[in-house]
Every structure is written in structure tokens, then in C-alpha cells.
Amino acid sequence: MRSRKSILFFLAALLAVGWAGLPGWSWAREVVFLDLTDFTGPVAGLALPGSLGLEDYIKDINAKGGVQGVKVKYIGVDTRYDVARGLSSFKRYRRDEAVLAINIVSTPFGKVLKEITAKEKLAITIPGDGEYQAHVGNFFTWGPTYQDAFAAAMDWVAADWKKQGKSGKPSVGHLAWDSPYGREPLRGGKEHAEKIGINLLNPEFFPSGTPKHDVYLSRLEAAGANYIYVACVDPAPTNVLRDAAAMGLNKKIQFITDYWGPTALGVGTHPEAVEGAVIVSFFLRGEEAKNHPVTKRIWTTYQKDPLEKMNETYGMGIVWGMTFEAALKDAIQRVGVDKLTKEVIFESYQRLNGISREGITGPCAYSPGSRRGSQEVKFYRCSKGKIVPITDWVKTPDAVSLHKW
Amino acid sequence: MEGFLQLLMLGLMEGGLYAIVAAAIVLVFKSTHVVSLAHGQIMGFGALAFWIGVVQLKLPLALALIGSLAFSAAMGWLIERAAMRPLIGQPLFASFLNTFAVFLVLDGIFQLILKGESYSFSAYLPKGNVSVGDFTLPITQLVSFLGSLLVFLGLALFYRWTKLGLGMRATAEDHQLAQSTGISVRGVFSAIWVLSSATATFAGLALANVTDIYYTLPYMGIKGLVVALVGGLESLPGALLAGLLLGVLENVSAGYLDPLVGGGIKEVAAYVLLLFVLLVKPYGLFGLVRIERI
């Protein structure tokens, strides 16, 4: 009797071990994409919709059975544009083996994290700090670097100046948050502007959360700005444009914003103030974003709100998900499900050069020597309460290499 | 000179807004001797209630205004009953810290509601600029400034001519003496939180008219606190004068000194002013000097 029980136990154990060895076991594997983001605070207006897009895309991956059977878990943490909060959240999760990649939305936090993770092989995705391109490491920017986008904007300024038949040099003011992010576009962008004959005025910086921008705008006006490049995160650029419009400056100065300039959020709040402003963007804006088949499908499947309420960074969040999915797929193909590690995913991120994001952004430009998420931008203009394209996708200049890092 | 006048006028307009935030804090201090850190949040919620009224519920402006005032008054009453009254008789510092706790709780809720977005009143108010000589003033800012002055006038009349206002003044002098003359000090405390919350809502509306309802709006309460301290915590005229002074100082100093020091002057001007005034006049410009027998 006892030996019969032993045989049955042995067979059951054998079955369990065999089951574990079957490919179906991989269903039990779940990996984590950690999103250390700002659900509240100065960049929440764009970070939150981005994270929603990412979360919904991950839901969609899982609804289809995961990435080759591997399910993805989304974990989002509110870091409030606060480096200390971000750091403690990072420490909380850094040793978790299920966490294969981390997305962060704060440039100042990225600067701190870079020092800590310099020797690690862990893929961290981040906005467009050019330092990560200048010193290739484990940070991957979402799109073109800030300086590349700034350089593309300066090319647009030069062409616009010429188109208007004006002689001499156009004078351009830089009005930005007083933060590593606000100063980043000039590290290489300044060199590019000078190279193409633009007169860059003394830059103006103001703290995030500044309620009124009159003083900074007045000074740029007095300096003779023909164009002002605004680098802060919506709704802050909209607030700058609101103050500019109240001072009547939007009638005589052409405002251009970086890719965090007015989205549906800003245009919905102050349509009259943002009228005529130009946006250099690495992701689809306006109706193009809302009517894109992928963003539209994901939004209508997972969000309860009507499509009109969709902010364009929702599509950018979907691209974060697409990129992680592609890296995960590549990693599984190379090493198999059981050997997935942070390091393997890090290597895969470097192999994504050229993968398509369905046109929501330009193709991925990651490679062993590149940390740029893409090298394309598109120009839009705020017009009659809408954001309309004024160019097709344009390849950005390489401004990072112009700066002495 | 043109530039200076422009900075001066813009500074006065901003200063008028700071002053009314400070007025709400002064009202509470005058009667309860508690310095409130929570009024910035009350201001934010009042403005948000107004926005919900006009934009989401599509109420007429007057009705939305009454609704938002009623909402913030109820909020003030609730804070007094739930958070402040249990501390009567305890050290004032405990009450002060409790207002900080209220600040943190309300701030968390406000940020969660806002989700990083900003809400504007611009569609409901006059737009455009007024040109005075060579400089221009946005009408929204002018409307807000004039509204602030009207509230100050209203408060002055209230304290001078109403029974409740006189009761509040008596309470401000001495709680025990006021109680002995039949004034319900607890009632006055409740009333003062209701009145100061309604004043904070006016401040919120005036500010949000210029700066929108944004995540930073409640933090203007801190600026209001600085103004109240500079003006003297018991003085409404002091709040008005200090507010105007700060607005002008911020704008003019930023206009002229930023290029010399690389920026950021506007953000520190308030604290430099506070430091300077408190060093010279520890009770503020118009504060009551308390003399204690040694």
C-alpha cells in the first residue's frame, strides 16, 4: 500500500516537472515595465496621458496572449517631478527581477539616476536629453534629443525668414524652464543656430510653476526677438502664450514650442492665445493623432471617454509600449523566455534600429551607438482651435555632436 | 522709463492679487491668533468650484459665484469644527501645525482632481488690452485687480459697521473679555473661518482669472503668508500695502537684476523683503507691537 502511494506521488511529481518543462509554462511568466512617472505636478498634464497610453497598450498585448506567451505587467508610480520621490521609487524596484525596463519622465531625475546606474545594463527610457547620446550608456530617449529638435526648429525659422523675404539675421529668443531640461536644447542647438546664421538672444529661464511670464517676455521683446522658442511642458507653454497674447506679443513675434508645446490640453484651454504658434513634434498631434488607426483603436477599446478627449501624448505612450514589446520579442527570440534578464532586454533595445511605430513617431533609431528614439520631427501650427500639420516628417540635424560635452 | 512704468503697473496688478490672498490669512489671525497655512488650498478649491459651476454645470456666472462662495464657506466651517476647534486651549503652535496638516490633505486631493491639467475662465470674461500711454495692461488683470480692491473695501465696511464685524474686533482684542461681554468666541471663530474662506475664494477667482487654475494655484497661499507677515498679521491695510509693494518689487527687480545675476530674482524677492522687514520691524509694517512685562 505504501509503495503504491509512493509510486503515485512519484508519477505526480514527474507530471508536474514535465508540465513545467512544456512551452505552455511560459504563460506563468510575467515581466514588469516600470513607469516612474508624474501623475501629479508640473508635467502631469502630458505624462499622465502618456502613461495611460502605455498602460492600455500593455493591456492590449496581454489581451492578445502576451509577447510570445509572456505577459507584461504595468506598474506606475507617481513621482511628482520630484527627484527624491523618483529615487526612492527606483530603489524600491531596482532589485526586482521581474522589472525588465524602466520609463522615467523627468530630466532632472534622469541626471541623478545616470550616476547611479552608470555601470548597470538596464534599459531606462527617458525624454530627450542629449547627454545620453553624447555619452552612450543605458538611457534611451523617446524621440530626437532636445537639441536636435531645437536645431530642426532653427532650420524652420531660417526657411520661414527667407520665405517672408526678410534680410539680415532673424533674432530668436529661448524661453524655458530653469532646469536641466530647459537648458538642454542649447547644448548643441546653440552651435547649430549660429552655424546657420541665426542671432540667438540671451536665453531666459524661469522656474516651473511660475504663474506669470510677463517680465521674461518683455525682456525678449525689448531685445528684438522675431521668434521665441518656448521649452516647457504643457500647460506651461500655453501659459507663456497666454501671457504673450495678453501683452499683444503674438501679433509681432512668431512663437515656436518644443515637442512638449500645446497639445489638446493647451489648445482646449486657450485656443485664442495659442493661435499661430508652431510646434516641432516627434509624435503625431491634433486630428492626426486622434484618427490614427492604432491610437484610435486602443483608446476606444480601453478608455471610457470620447475620442475628442484624447491627448496626443496618449499615442506617445503607445509608442513606449510598442518599443518595449519589440525589445521583449527580440530578447525572447535570442535567449528564450527563461533567460530573460534586464541585461538581455538592454541588449535588445540596442537592436531596434528601424522598427516602425506605425507612423505615430518616426522609426526607432536605437543602435549600439545611438540612444535616439527617432530622428524625425513634424511641424504643426495651432489654427482655429486645432493643431494642423504644416510639414511632413523631417529628419532632424545632429546637433548633439556640435557641442563639447 | 517706458519699461519701468510697464513693470510698475504689472507689479501693482499682481500685488493686488497677493494682497487679497494675504487678507484671508489676516482675517483668521486677527480673531484666532492662528497663522493659517491652509488658505491657499481653500483658495484653489473655491476657484475650482466656480469653474465646475460655469464650465461643467453651465450655471449663470452669478449663481456659480454664489455656489463657489457657499462651497468654500462650508469648507472653512468644516475645517474650523473638525480640525481647529478641538485644539482650543492648546498651544497656538499646535493649531498652526494643524493648518499645515489641512494644507497637505487638501493639496493631495486638489492635485488628484487636477491631474496636471489647467482650467481657464478666459471664455467668460472680457479679453484684450487697455493702452495707457505707452504701456498696455491686460483687461483680465485689471478686472482682477479692481475686484481685489472692492473686496478690501467690503471687508473694511464689514468690520466697521456690522455687529458681527465689531464682535470679531472685540474677540481679536481679548478672547476672555469678549466672552464676558456675551460674545460667543466659538461662534466668532466659526464665522471668521467662513468669512476668510469666502475671501480666499475671491482671491482664487481673481488669481485664476489671470493665471488659470493650475497645480501651483494653492501655493500662492505661501506668497499670501509672506505678504501678511510683511504687512503685519493683524492689519488689513498692511496686507494691501505689502501686497502692492511685493508685486512691484518682484517685477521691477526681476526686470533689472535678472540679467545681472542670471535670473531667478522674482522667486526670491518676496523672501528677501520678508527677511528685511522682519529684521527691522519684527511685527511687520503695521502689526501690533506686543509688549510683555518682564
Side-chain angles (χ1 to χ4, degrees):
Chain A
M1 192 68 183
R2 185 177 246 187
S3 62
R4 250 170 101 182
K5 270 189 175 174
S6 301
I7 291 165
L8 278 173
F9 178 77
F10 177 70
L11 285 173
L14 201 66
L15 199 64
V17 171
W19 181 258
L22 290 174
W25 175 250
S26 61
W27 275 103
R29 185 75 202 259
E30 188 177 61
V31 299
V32 172
F33 188 95
L34 178 63
D35 189 20
L36 301 180
T37 190
D38 297 334
F39 294 130
T40 54
V43 306
L46 298 193
L48 182 60
S51 291
L52 273 181
L54 169 64
E55 189 179 10
D56 287 352
Y57 190 77
I58 287 173
K59 280 181 195 163
D60 204 56
I61 290 174
N62 292 336
K64 289 174 184 165
V67 179
Q68 298 186 4
V70 176
K71 298 260 180 171
V72 182
K73 186 178 179 183
Y74 169 84
I75 296 179
V77 180
D78 182 10
T79 46
R80 297 190 73 168
Y81 208 63
D82 178 339
V83 173
R85 272 173 188 264
L87 202 53
S88 68
S89 310
F90 175 75
K91 285 181 176 172
R92 155 76 179 76
Y93 285 102
R94 74 179 304 187
R95 302 288 175 218
D96 187 337
E97 286 181 8
V99 175
L100 292 191
I102 302 176
N103 185 54
I104 63 176
V105 303
S106 154
T107 301
F109 175 33
K111 298 272 190 200
V112 170
L113 216 51
K114 185 175 174 287
E115 299 303 317
I116 296 168
T117 63
K119 290 177 185 167
E120 289 181 34
K121 290 186 173 170
L122 160 65
I124 297 177
T125 55
I126 189 163
D129 197 322
E131 189 175 335
Y132 309 125
Q133 179 61 29
H135 306 293
V136 168
N138 59 335
F139 282 74
F140 296 81
T141 66
W142 300 336
T145 63
Y146 289 125
Q147 37 276 86
D148 288 355
F150 180 83
M154 293 307 105
D155 285 349
W156 183 87
V157 164
D160 185 62
W161 188 254
K162 201 174 163 186
K163 201 167 91 182
Q164 291 180 35
K166 292 182 177 165
S167 57
K169 289 180 173 183
S171 292
V172 179
H174 177 76
L175 182 57
W177 273 352
D178 191 0
S179 72
Y181 147 62
R183 293 171 190 273
E184 195 64 22
L186 298 178
R187 306 209 296 171
K190 180 174 179 282
E191 290 86 337
H192 181 83
E194 285 164 355
K195 199 173 89 179
I196 62 170
I198 280 172
N199 173 36
L200 265 187
L201 302 172
N202 280 337
E204 292 285 339
F205 298 104
F206 60 90
S208 61
T210 297
K212 292 282 286 167
H213 310 86
D214 307 33
V215 177
Y216 316 104
L217 287 164
S218 299
R219 206 154 36 226
L220 287 175
E221 183 200 12
N226 306 113
Y227 298 80
I228 293 179
Y229 187 84
V230 184
C232 40
V233 180
D234 209 31
T238 300
N239 295 344
V240 171
L241 292 166
R242 172 201 66 200
D243 295 342
M247 296 166 73
L249 297 186
N250 56 347
K251 300 275 185 286
K252 48 188 172 184
I253 298 172
Q254 174 64 57
F255 283 83
I256 311 167
T257 73
D258 81 346
Y259 41 71
W260 306 132
T263 57
L265 170 58
V267 177
T269 315
H270 286 287
E272 71 295 337
V274 300
E275 179 70 23
V278 168
I279 308 158
V280 51
S281 179
F282 73 89
F283 53 95
L284 292 182
R285 309 295 269 246
E287 298 304 304
E288 284 190 335
K290 287 173 188 160
N291 293 323
H292 187 280
V294 176
T295 50
K296 193 174 178 176
R297 181 182 66 77
I298 304 273
W299 177 275
T300 47
T301 308
Y302 299 102
Q303 292 293 320
K304 302 276 184 283
D305 285 331
L307 196 59
E308 297 76 58
K309 287 203 169 183
M310 193 186 90
N311 186 291
E312 296 95 319
T313 56
Y314 182 80
M316 183 187 65
I318 288 175
V319 168
W320 300 340
M322 283 177 174
T323 313
F324 180 68
E325 181 188 26
L328 190 55
K329 205 177 275 179
D330 177 81
I332 294 169
Q333 276 167 4
R334 286 193 300 115
V335 302
V337 171
D338 297 331
K339 290 181 181 168
L340 284 176
T341 61
K342 290 177 173 70
E343 190 170 341
V344 170
I345 291 290
F346 167 71
E347 286 158 8
S348 287
Y349 262 91
Q350 295 178 79
R351 291 159 50 87
L352 299 183
N353 198 299
I355 66 152
S356 156
R357 279 79 165 266
E358 309 280 349
I360 302 171
T361 68
C364 187
Y366 298 149
S367 72
S370 170
R371 293 296 181 261
R372 291 179 171 105
S374 90
Q375 283 183 280
E376 292 184 2
V377 289
K378 205 168 175 176
F379 287 84
Y380 290 87
R381 192 186 289 277
C382 300
S383 175
K384 294 174 188 159
K386 293 200 178 298
I387 300 176
V388 294
I390 54 173
T391 70
D392 204 346
W393 289 106
V394 177
K395 192 163 189 291
T396 58
D398 173 9
V400 174
S401 63
L402 298 175
H403 188 67
K404 284 180 187 162
W405 296 89
Chain B
M1 193 61 187
E2 271 173 40
F4 174 76
L5 282 176
Q6 180 80 44
L7 290 169
L8 186 76
M9 291 306 291
L10 288 171
L12 281 174
M13 298 290 114
E14 275 185 61
L17 304 183
Y18 295 156
I20 191 163
V21 185
I25 295 167
V26 166
L27 286 178
V28 170
F29 186 83
K30 267 172 85 79
S31 294
T32 66
H33 296 163
V34 172
V35 179
S36 171
L37 292 173
H39 274 69
Q41 315 299 326
I42 298 170
M43 183 176 83
F45 272 99
L48 192 61
F50 180 75
W51 181 84
I52 290 170
V54 286
V55 178
Q56 295 205 315
L57 303 177
K58 304 200 185 308
L59 298 175
L61 281 179
L63 204 56
L65 180 65
I66 292 166
S68 63
L69 289 174
F71 174 80
S72 58
M75 209 171 154
W77 178 82
L78 191 66
I79 291 170
E80 198 279 326
R81 290 305 295 260
M84 305 310 295
R85 187 166 292 190
L87 292 177
I88 289 179
Q90 301 297 319
L92 283 171
F93 190 63
S95 300
F96 170 70
L97 282 185
N98 217 22
T99 65
F100 185 54
V102 173
F103 165 94
L104 291 175
V105 170
L106 293 181
D107 185 54
I109 298 168
F110 187 80
Q111 301 296 337
L112 283 174
I113 293 172
L114 222 58
K115 293 178 190 160
E117 294 194 15
S118 69
Y119 304 129
S120 165
F121 298 153
S122 62
Y124 304 93
L125 291 160
K127 300 184 195 80
N129 298 314
V130 182
S131 290
V132 185
D134 288 327
F135 55 86
T136 53
L137 286 176
I139 291 177
T140 48
Q141 213 154 331
L142 198 59
V143 168
S144 288
F145 177 71
L146 294 175
S148 301
L149 294 185
L150 278 178
V151 171
F152 266 98
L153 185 66
L155 286 173
L157 294 175
F158 172 80
Y159 269 103
R160 179 74 181 83
W161 297 108
T162 67
K163 194 176 172 187
L164 183 58
L166 290 170
M168 284 175 179
R169 285 167 64 189
T171 308
E173 289 297 319
D174 190 307
H175 294 173
Q176 284 178 336
L177 271 178
Q179 186 93 13
S180 67
T181 60
I183 295 169
S184 166
V185 173
R186 289 186 174 187
V188 166
F189 281 8
S190 280
I192 203 69
W193 271 88
V194 165
L195 179 68
S196 68
S197 298
T199 308
T201 294
F202 273 116
L205 296 180
L207 268 168
N209 184 32
V210 177
T211 66
D212 296 341
I213 301 171
Y214 189 32
Y215 85 102
T216 53
L217 181 64
Y219 294 97
M220 295 300 278
I222 305 294
K223 201 66 84 67
L225 184 61
V226 171
V227 170
L229 286 166
V230 168
L233 274 165
E234 283 127 332
S235 171
L236 279 172
L240 180 60
L241 189 75
L244 297 175
L245 181 67
L246 179 63
V248 171
L249 182 74
E250 275 189 346
N251 277 274
V252 173
S253 61
Y256 290 99
L257 298 180
D258 263 358
L260 302 178
V261 297
I265 288 290
K266 194 171 176 181
E267 304 310 311
V268 297
Y271 307 103
V272 172
L273 176 70
L274 179 64
L275 190 67
F276 179 74
V277 168
L278 293 189
L279 278 173
V280 180
K281 287 179 80 76
Y283 295 102
L285 295 176
F286 295 90
L288 292 178
V289 180
R290 297 189 188 283
I291 299 166
E292 288 178 21
R293 189 184 296 275
I294 300 172

